PDB file of all heavy atoms in Angstrom:
ATOM      1  N   ARG Z 172     -11.358 -17.038  -0.091  1.00  0.00           N
ATOM      2  CA  ARG Z 172     -10.353 -17.900   0.424  1.00  0.00           C
ATOM      3  C   ARG Z 172      -9.292 -17.335   1.323  1.00  0.00           C
ATOM      4  O   ARG Z 172      -8.984 -17.882   2.404  1.00  0.00           O
ATOM      5  CB  ARG Z 172      -9.567 -18.554  -0.847  1.00  0.00           C
ATOM      6  CG  ARG Z 172      -8.539 -19.662  -0.422  1.00  0.00           C
ATOM      7  CD  ARG Z 172      -8.059 -20.376  -1.618  1.00  0.00           C
ATOM      8  NE  ARG Z 172      -9.093 -21.261  -2.183  1.00  0.00           N
ATOM      9  CZ  ARG Z 172      -9.513 -22.351  -1.720  1.00  0.00           C
ATOM     10  NH1 ARG Z 172      -8.932 -22.847  -0.564  1.00  0.00           N
ATOM     11  NH2 ARG Z 172     -10.438 -23.110  -2.266  1.00  0.00           N
ATOM     12  N   ILE Z 173      -8.884 -16.095   0.989  1.00  0.00           N
ATOM     13  CA  ILE Z 173      -7.919 -15.443   1.785  1.00  0.00           C
ATOM     14  C   ILE Z 173      -8.545 -14.981   3.099  1.00  0.00           C
ATOM     15  O   ILE Z 173      -7.919 -15.125   4.095  1.00  0.00           O
ATOM     16  CB  ILE Z 173      -7.294 -14.251   1.082  1.00  0.00           C
ATOM     17  CG1 ILE Z 173      -5.929 -13.865   1.749  1.00  0.00           C
ATOM     18  CG2 ILE Z 173      -8.215 -13.008   1.044  1.00  0.00           C
ATOM     19  CD1 ILE Z 173      -5.135 -12.833   1.089  1.00  0.00           C
ATOM     20  N   GLY Z 174      -9.836 -14.647   3.133  1.00  0.00           N
ATOM     21  CA  GLY Z 174     -10.510 -14.326   4.383  1.00  0.00           C
ATOM     22  C   GLY Z 174     -10.556 -15.507   5.171  1.00  0.00           C
ATOM     23  O   GLY Z 174     -10.322 -15.504   6.497  1.00  0.00           O
ATOM     24  N   CYS Z 175     -10.898 -16.730   4.687  1.00  0.00           N
ATOM     25  CA  CYS Z 175     -10.954 -17.910   5.541  1.00  0.00           C
ATOM     26  C   CYS Z 175      -9.542 -18.389   6.021  1.00  0.00           C
ATOM     27  O   CYS Z 175      -9.404 -18.867   7.105  1.00  0.00           O
ATOM     28  CB  CYS Z 175     -11.513 -19.094   4.619  1.00  0.00           C
ATOM     29  SG  CYS Z 175     -13.299 -18.958   4.376  1.00  0.00           S
ATOM     30  N   ALA Z 176      -8.488 -18.112   5.160  1.00  0.00           N
ATOM     31  CA  ALA Z 176      -7.102 -18.358   5.645  1.00  0.00           C
ATOM     32  C   ALA Z 176      -6.811 -17.623   6.942  1.00  0.00           C
ATOM     33  O   ALA Z 176      -6.095 -18.147   7.757  1.00  0.00           O
ATOM     34  CB  ALA Z 176      -6.180 -18.101   4.517  1.00  0.00           C
ATOM     35  N   PHE Z 177      -7.344 -16.377   7.077  1.00  0.00           N
ATOM     36  CA  PHE Z 177      -7.041 -15.583   8.187  1.00  0.00           C
ATOM     37  C   PHE Z 177      -8.029 -15.722   9.317  1.00  0.00           C
ATOM     38  O   PHE Z 177      -8.030 -14.883  10.181  1.00  0.00           O
ATOM     39  CB  PHE Z 177      -6.843 -14.175   7.745  1.00  0.00           C
ATOM     40  CG  PHE Z 177      -5.629 -13.883   6.974  1.00  0.00           C
ATOM     41  CD1 PHE Z 177      -5.536 -13.454   5.755  1.00  0.00           C
ATOM     42  CD2 PHE Z 177      -4.308 -14.001   7.676  1.00  0.00           C
ATOM     43  CE1 PHE Z 177      -4.348 -13.081   5.019  1.00  0.00           C
ATOM     44  CE2 PHE Z 177      -3.192 -13.872   7.063  1.00  0.00           C
ATOM     45  CZ  PHE Z 177      -3.115 -13.422   5.585  1.00  0.00           C
ATOM     46  N   GLY Z 178      -8.899 -16.690   9.223  1.00  0.00           N
ATOM     47  CA  GLY Z 178      -9.836 -17.025  10.360  1.00  0.00           C
ATOM     48  C   GLY Z 178     -11.236 -16.623  10.215  1.00  0.00           C
ATOM     49  O   GLY Z 178     -11.967 -16.747  11.249  1.00  0.00           O
ATOM     50  N   ALA Z 179     -11.752 -16.202   9.054  1.00  0.00           N
ATOM     51  CA  ALA Z 179     -13.228 -15.957   8.858  1.00  0.00           C
ATOM     52  C   ALA Z 179     -14.049 -17.126   9.180  1.00  0.00           C
ATOM     53  O   ALA Z 179     -13.687 -18.216   8.661  1.00  0.00           O
ATOM     54  CB  ALA Z 179     -13.537 -15.406   7.583  1.00  0.00           C
ATOM     55  N   SER Z 180     -15.189 -16.945   9.903  1.00  0.00           N
ATOM     56  CA  SER Z 180     -15.963 -18.131  10.138  1.00  0.00           C
ATOM     57  C   SER Z 180     -16.653 -18.517   8.854  1.00  0.00           C
ATOM     58  O   SER Z 180     -16.947 -17.682   8.056  1.00  0.00           O
ATOM     59  CB  SER Z 180     -17.005 -17.738  11.209  1.00  0.00           C
ATOM     60  OG  SER Z 180     -17.911 -16.679  10.809  1.00  0.00           O
ATOM     61  N   PRO Z 181     -17.180 -19.731   8.817  1.00  0.00           N
ATOM     62  CA  PRO Z 181     -17.944 -20.320   7.589  1.00  0.00           C
ATOM     63  C   PRO Z 181     -19.304 -19.995   7.511  1.00  0.00           C
ATOM     64  O   PRO Z 181     -20.180 -20.870   7.278  1.00  0.00           O
ATOM     65  CB  PRO Z 181     -17.612 -21.857   7.682  1.00  0.00           C
ATOM     66  CG  PRO Z 181     -17.519 -22.074   9.180  1.00  0.00           C
ATOM     67  CD  PRO Z 181     -16.928 -20.922   9.803  1.00  0.00           C
ATOM     68  N   ASP Z 182     -19.659 -18.728   7.491  1.00  0.00           N
ATOM     69  CA  ASP Z 182     -21.093 -18.350   7.359  1.00  0.00           C
ATOM     70  C   ASP Z 182     -21.310 -17.670   6.058  1.00  0.00           C
ATOM     71  O   ASP Z 182     -20.971 -16.504   5.822  1.00  0.00           O
ATOM     72  CB  ASP Z 182     -21.474 -17.222   8.533  1.00  0.00           C
ATOM     73  CG  ASP Z 182     -21.348 -17.868   9.955  1.00  0.00           C
ATOM     74  OD1 ASP Z 182     -21.675 -19.048  10.066  1.00  0.00           O
ATOM     75  OD2 ASP Z 182     -20.787 -17.173  10.777  1.00  0.00           O
ATOM     76  N   SER Z 183     -21.688 -18.485   5.097  1.00  0.00           N
ATOM     77  CA  SER Z 183     -21.713 -18.072   3.685  1.00  0.00           C
ATOM     78  C   SER Z 183     -22.658 -16.830   3.419  1.00  0.00           C
ATOM     79  O   SER Z 183     -22.498 -16.163   2.477  1.00  0.00           O
ATOM     80  CB  SER Z 183     -22.073 -19.222   2.778  1.00  0.00           C
ATOM     81  OG  SER Z 183     -23.320 -19.745   3.082  1.00  0.00           O
ATOM     82  N   ASP Z 184     -23.605 -16.628   4.233  1.00  0.00           N
ATOM     83  CA  ASP Z 184     -24.647 -15.622   3.960  1.00  0.00           C
ATOM     84  C   ASP Z 184     -24.245 -14.164   4.592  1.00  0.00           C
ATOM     85  O   ASP Z 184     -24.941 -13.311   4.480  1.00  0.00           O
ATOM     86  CB  ASP Z 184     -26.025 -16.107   4.495  1.00  0.00           C
ATOM     87  CG  ASP Z 184     -26.078 -16.326   5.998  1.00  0.00           C
ATOM     88  OD1 ASP Z 184     -24.922 -16.681   6.533  1.00  0.00           O
ATOM     89  OD2 ASP Z 184     -27.068 -16.321   6.502  1.00  0.00           O
ATOM     90  N   ALA Z 185     -23.125 -14.158   5.349  1.00  0.00           N
ATOM     91  CA  ALA Z 185     -22.718 -12.990   5.960  1.00  0.00           C
ATOM     92  C   ALA Z 185     -21.662 -12.376   5.241  1.00  0.00           C
ATOM     93  O   ALA Z 185     -20.749 -12.942   4.642  1.00  0.00           O
ATOM     94  CB  ALA Z 185     -22.335 -13.197   7.431  1.00  0.00           C
ATOM     95  N   PRO Z 186     -21.524 -10.937   5.257  1.00  0.00           N
ATOM     96  CA  PRO Z 186     -20.391 -10.218   4.630  1.00  0.00           C
ATOM     97  C   PRO Z 186     -19.181 -10.653   5.291  1.00  0.00           C
ATOM     98  O   PRO Z 186     -19.093 -11.095   6.358  1.00  0.00           O
ATOM     99  CB  PRO Z 186     -20.685  -8.809   4.883  1.00  0.00           C
ATOM    100  CG  PRO Z 186     -22.211  -8.670   5.094  1.00  0.00           C
ATOM    101  CD  PRO Z 186     -22.490 -10.029   5.860  1.00  0.00           C
TER     102      PRO Z 186
END
Side-chain angles (χ1 to χ4, degrees):
R172 180 171 294 283
I173 197 169
C175 288
F177 286 118
S180 65
D182 301 317
S183 59
D184 58 339

